[in-house]
Amino acid sequence: MEDEIWYMKQQSRVLQEFRRDIQGFWDDEAAREMNVRYLNPHEDDDKQMITGLDGQQNALQEAQIKLASASEHALRAEKLSVEVLEQLELAEQDVSIAYQFYEQYQNYHSHARSFLPEIEKLITEANSVCRGVAKE
Amino acid sequence: MGEVNPRLLAVILEDLQQELTRWATVASDTMATAGYTQRHAEEQVDQAHRHAAIVNDKAVNDRDAVENLRGQVEVLFSKCVEAKQLSHKTLAETTTALQKAQKTLSLWQTELEYALAWLARAEERVRRAEIELAAAEAELRRAESELSRAESAYRNCVNYRDDKGRRKDCSSEASRVRRAQEAVHDAVLRVKAAQLELAAAKAERERARARVKCCQTAVGIATKAVEFAQEAKERATMAVNASERSLETAQAAQRFMNQAVQKVTEEEEEADQMLKDVQLAANFTSEGQHHFRNAERSEESAQRLRIITRTELDNRIGLLYQLNKPDLSVGGGFSSSSSGIGVRATGGLVTTPTVSKSGWITKDTIMSVDDLPNPEDITGADDFQKVPMEQMQAGLLRLQEMQSAIESGEGSNGDYWSNRDTAEGLEYENGYRRIYDAFYGNDAIHITKNQGVYDITNGRHRIWLAKRMGLKFLPVRLVERSESRDS
């Protein structure tokens, strides 16, 4: 749009320059009336239009900058999201493995503990077998 | 001002018209581009809004997933810490149990050794006692045999009578008998003692055997206890290893979770920042829209002024050319001033004016709505019979859209609008062609100007509505007599 606005300004300038150029040739009462009623207001409207277009262009350029920035933030956020998922996946794998080891621990531990009362019983039994049997 | 060559002036005015036309084309194109650019920017902002919403939703979902898993990891970590503690405690207990079992086994192994030694000694005692008994019994037999012989000898001696009938002296035989009897007595005592000793030795042997047996049993039981304790310790060691590996893996999971927490926080910040940027972009786009609307209004006003100007220039150029032409047979025409330009600007024309035989000039022009008379007979919507007021209002609004295309020449014929209706899928009743026909066709607003006074011949409702809507200009078909411009 920058080119179009530049071209528009050019065209406006050409028109006004032409008006000034022909002023010497066309300067009667009707010319003055046309200038006052139509051509001068036309020039004012033209300037306002160009001001509006400039304002629009500047505003849209700022908007584009913000959109580009937003796009970069989106890219970074999406990249971070992928990394989050990767970390979660690794953590889940480790959780699964840890629970497998935990299950092993539970089995071994309960098995080990189950022996303890039996061992105590055997020791007691061993120590009582010779009760009442004379020694030398 | 000096005299100006009319032909030169006409050329200059035509050039001015051309410049105005070029300006109009460029302005129209520029506004079209600006409008497209504005719409495109607004679409981009809408798209960015949707994208930002998606990114934000993703961040929220990721946060939920992280928190959910973090809770699980924390629970797992607590379990693994407790498991490690318990497994170490159990290992200590099984180690203690093993030590105790081994000590018990060692004790009873020692006791068994003692018992076996005792048994060996008891066995030896029994052997010696049996030998002694055998010897004592042999001695007794010998003593009894000697006694028997001694008694026999004594009897023989006692019973001997010599030839004289005298007895022999049997004291020696008697002594031998006495000695034999004593020997028998001693042998009997010895046998009894040996028997007692043998019995005692056997009893001791039995006690030793019993001791050995119970010690063997105790050793067997203790050995089993040691085996159990060893297995228990082995299991406990494996439990410790498993618990420690579980804890290490849980710690690794925790580290991954911490990373995930950090990254999801960053992700939320980026999503938030994106949202803010999009909002700012929306604000800027809205500002651009405001500027565009201002430019649009200015361009519309400038276009209308350009149309009026061009029409006025058409008039003047026409008059300038007429100055150099013979009078027309229809009479009238325009009176000329020294400059040839004495017509007051009253409006603009798209078409060239036509002159009737009676001197009425008909021309299509654009007039200021304020200059048009106010139809007094119309007061409201109830006065709209042929076309409802709402429909006419819509038609006037559509006319405003069409105006620049018409005045630029592109839309200055009905076929253009018919093609547009077809392209947009519009029926005639709802299309652009109908509007064009209503204002530029046979049903155009018809105004008569006579001696400076305007009269509405056709289009009273449209003029009334245009005034209420605040429209500035309307295309009309103006019919005036040549004297009317002197007012």
Side-chain angles (χ1 to χ4, degrees):
Chain A
M1 208 172 104
E2 198 171 332
D3 292 342
E4 283 81 359
I5 293 174
W6 177 85
Y7 190 60
M8 185 72 239
K9 288 176 180 173
Q10 284 288 102
Q11 197 58 46
S12 299
R13 191 162 43 245
V14 164
L15 175 62
Q16 300 313 323
E17 280 174 1
F18 185 79
R19 284 181 63 202
R20 282 193 292 277
D21 290 345
I22 66 173
Q23 220 172 3
F25 296 96
W26 187 44
D27 192 24
D28 58 7
E29 186 187 340
R32 284 189 286 276
E33 189 180 354
M34 277 198 73
N35 280 325
V36 167
R37 287 188 72 175
Y38 305 122
L39 291 172
N40 289 345
H42 176 271
E43 185 182 356
D44 291 340
D45 284 338
D46 186 26
K47 285 177 183 169
Q48 283 180 14
M49 177 188 74
I50 289 171
T51 301
L53 288 172
D54 279 338
Q56 182 202 19
Q57 188 194 19
N58 291 338
L60 292 185
Q61 276 176 350
E62 291 293 329
Q64 284 300 319
I65 291 170
K66 289 300 172 190
L67 285 177
S69 173
S71 187
E72 284 174 13
H73 285 299
L75 277 174
R76 283 197 287 270
E78 281 158 12
K79 182 168 173 274
L80 285 165
S81 178
V82 168
E83 290 175 9
V84 165
L85 289 179
E86 283 173 1
Q87 298 297 320
L88 286 180
E89 201 174 313
L90 291 170
E92 278 174 353
Q93 285 175 5
D94 277 347
V95 166
S96 175
I97 293 170
Y99 269 114
Q100 287 175 11
F101 283 129
Y102 185 79
E103 208 175 303
Q104 283 180 9
Y105 144 77
Q106 282 181 320
N107 290 337
Y108 290 139
H109 186 252
S110 65
H111 199 185
R113 289 211 71 86
S114 71
F115 279 115
L116 291 175
E118 190 65 25
I119 293 165
E120 197 62 34
K121 183 180 157 195
L122 286 171
I123 291 172
T124 304
E125 190 179 336
N127 288 333
S128 63
V129 160
C130 288
R131 198 168 292 159
V133 177
K135 288 176 73 170
E136 185 178 4
Chain B
M1 184 188 147
E3 284 290 331
V4 179
N5 186 342
R7 290 183 188 277
L8 177 62
L9 189 55
V11 168
I12 289 170
L13 295 183
E14 281 174 351
D15 287 346
L16 179 59
Q17 268 190 333
Q18 283 175 7
E19 286 301 329
L20 282 168
T21 302
R22 268 195 284 274
W23 176 93
T25 304
V26 172
S28 181
D29 291 344
T30 303
M31 289 308 300
T33 303
Y36 169 78
T37 304
Q38 185 65 35
R39 283 192 299 277
H40 180 62
E42 286 165 4
E43 281 169 11
Q44 281 185 309
V45 167
D46 283 342
Q47 204 172 7
H49 264 304
R50 284 193 291 273
H51 192 192
I54 291 170
V55 169
N56 264 285
D57 283 347
K58 189 84 178 60
V60 167
N61 289 341
D62 287 347
R63 170 62 72 177
D64 287 344
V66 164
E67 291 304 322
N68 185 32
L69 189 58
R70 183 156 73 166
Q72 292 179 31
V73 169
E74 284 174 3
V75 166
L76 170 65
F77 185 77
S78 299
K79 281 186 176 181
C80 292
V81 167
E82 189 184 354
K84 184 178 173 182
Q85 291 168 352
L86 285 175
S87 64
H88 276 282
K89 184 181 166 197
T90 299
L91 179 61
E93 286 181 26
T94 54
T95 303
T96 302
L98 177 61
Q99 289 169 353
K100 198 172 169 185
Q102 283 172 337
K103 192 176 167 185
T104 302
L105 176 62
S106 176
L107 170 71
W108 287 108
Q109 280 174 338
T110 304
E111 287 294 323
L112 179 62
E113 283 174 13
Y114 290 156
L116 286 172
W118 182 28
L119 178 62
R121 287 193 297 277
E123 293 275 358
E124 180 63 21
R125 183 182 173 187
V126 165
R127 189 181 66 80
R128 284 199 302 270
E130 284 176 342
I131 291 173
E132 175 59 20
L133 180 61
E137 284 176 344
E139 180 63 26
L140 177 62
R141 281 195 298 279
R142 274 199 307 277
E144 284 176 343
S145 174
E146 174 58 20
L147 177 62
S148 172
R149 284 196 298 276
E151 284 178 341
S152 176
Y154 180 74
R155 276 196 303 279
N156 287 340
C157 183
V158 166
N159 293 333
Y160 180 72
R161 297 281 181 275
D162 59 7
D163 296 329
K164 301 177 179 175
R166 282 184 305 218
R167 290 191 183 164
K168 285 170 72 176
D169 183 14
C170 298
S171 57
S172 64
E173 284 78 8
S175 294
R176 184 183 171 189
V177 169
R178 278 196 307 278
R179 284 198 301 275
Q181 282 177 343
E182 286 174 4
V184 167
H185 178 73
D186 290 339
V188 167
L189 287 176
R190 186 181 171 189
V191 167
K192 281 185 180 175
Q195 283 175 341
L196 285 173
E197 174 58 18
L198 180 60
K202 282 184 176 178
E204 186 181 4
R205 188 179 63 178
E206 287 309 308
R207 287 199 304 279
R209 279 180 176 167
R211 183 72 185 173
V212 165
K213 187 175 176 185
C214 82
C215 287
Q216 282 174 338
T217 303
V219 164
I221 296 171
T223 302
K224 197 171 173 187
V226 165
E227 286 170 0
F228 276 17
Q230 282 172 340
E231 190 168 347
K233 185 176 176 183
E234 195 179 312
R235 289 281 183 266
T237 303
M238 289 163 81
V240 164
N241 292 338
S243 71
E244 287 180 345
R245 292 192 73 175
S246 173
L247 182 60
E248 283 169 10
T249 312
Q251 285 170 336
Q254 246 184 357
R255 286 192 291 273
F256 286 130
M257 280 313 307
N258 292 339
Q259 284 285 321
V261 165
Q262 184 186 344
K263 290 204 182 290
V264 83
T265 303
E266 290 175 19
E267 182 189 352
E268 285 170 335
E269 287 169 2
E270 292 291 342
D272 188 51
Q273 198 54 49
M274 179 193 181
L275 205 57
K276 285 178 182 166
D277 280 345
V278 169
Q279 192 52 49
L280 286 172
N283 293 344
F284 280 123
T285 305
S286 188
E287 184 184 328
Q289 168 80 345
H290 171 72
H291 287 301
F292 173 71
R293 290 289 174 224
N294 289 340
E296 208 173 31
R297 280 192 287 273
S298 300
E299 188 258 352
E300 282 171 9
S301 174
Q303 290 284 8
R304 289 199 175 85
L305 288 167
R306 190 268 309 174
I307 291 165
I308 296 169
T309 304
R310 205 184 80 164
T311 307
E312 284 297 318
L313 289 174
D314 278 340
N315 285 340
R316 281 156 178 74
I317 292 166
L319 287 172
L320 282 171
Y321 281 126
Q322 276 188 351
L323 282 176
N324 292 298
K325 284 184 185 175
D327 279 345
L328 296 173
S329 58
V330 296
F334 297 100
S335 63
S336 59
S337 65
S338 60
S339 66
I341 304 175
V343 177
R344 183 184 305 165
T346 55
L349 259 183
V350 176
T351 61
T352 306
T354 58
V355 182
S356 69
K357 289 184 180 178
S358 58
W360 288 94
I361 301 170
T362 301
K363 59 183 179 183
D364 286 346
T365 185
I366 291 181
M367 286 187 66
S368 170
V369 173
D370 290 338
D371 290 341
L372 295 170
N374 189 34
E376 299 291 341
D377 58 329
I378 299 172
T379 56
D382 292 339
D383 295 319
F384 286 73
Q385 303 296 329
K386 194 164 103 176
V387 177
M389 189 175 89
E390 291 78 16
Q391 188 177 342
M392 193 171 287
Q393 191 173 7
L396 281 166
L397 288 173
R398 178 159 275 181
L399 178 67
Q400 306 308 305
E401 294 175 29
M402 296 164 62
Q403 206 62 28
S404 10
I406 294 170
E407 302 305 339
S408 69
E410 185 184 10
S412 61
N413 62 85
D415 289 338
Y416 172 87
W417 299 106
S418 294
N419 291 338
R420 182 151 172 192
D421 286 345
T422 304
E424 292 186 21
L426 297 171
E427 299 290 333
Y428 179 82
E429 284 300 316
N430 299 318
Y432 292 92
R433 178 61 191 265
R434 185 165 183 240
I435 304 300
Y436 181 81
D437 290 343
F439 287 92
Y440 293 92
N442 294 330
D443 202 25
I445 296 174
H446 216 261
I447 302 293
T448 306
K449 185 179 179 187
N450 193 7
Q451 295 179 348
V453 176
Y454 289 106
D455 186 37
I456 302 173
T457 310
N458 186 44
R460 298 188 338 278
H461 293 79
R462 281 172 277 179
I463 291 169
W464 182 88
L465 194 52
K467 285 178 180 288
R468 295 294 174 282
M469 289 169 64
L471 300 183
K472 298 293 181 194
F473 300 98
L474 273 180
V476 304
R477 188 157 294 154
L478 179 65
V479 180
E480 61 179 338
R481 288 190 72 84
S482 60
E483 299 79 10
S484 67
R485 60 181 175 82
D486 292 331
S487 64

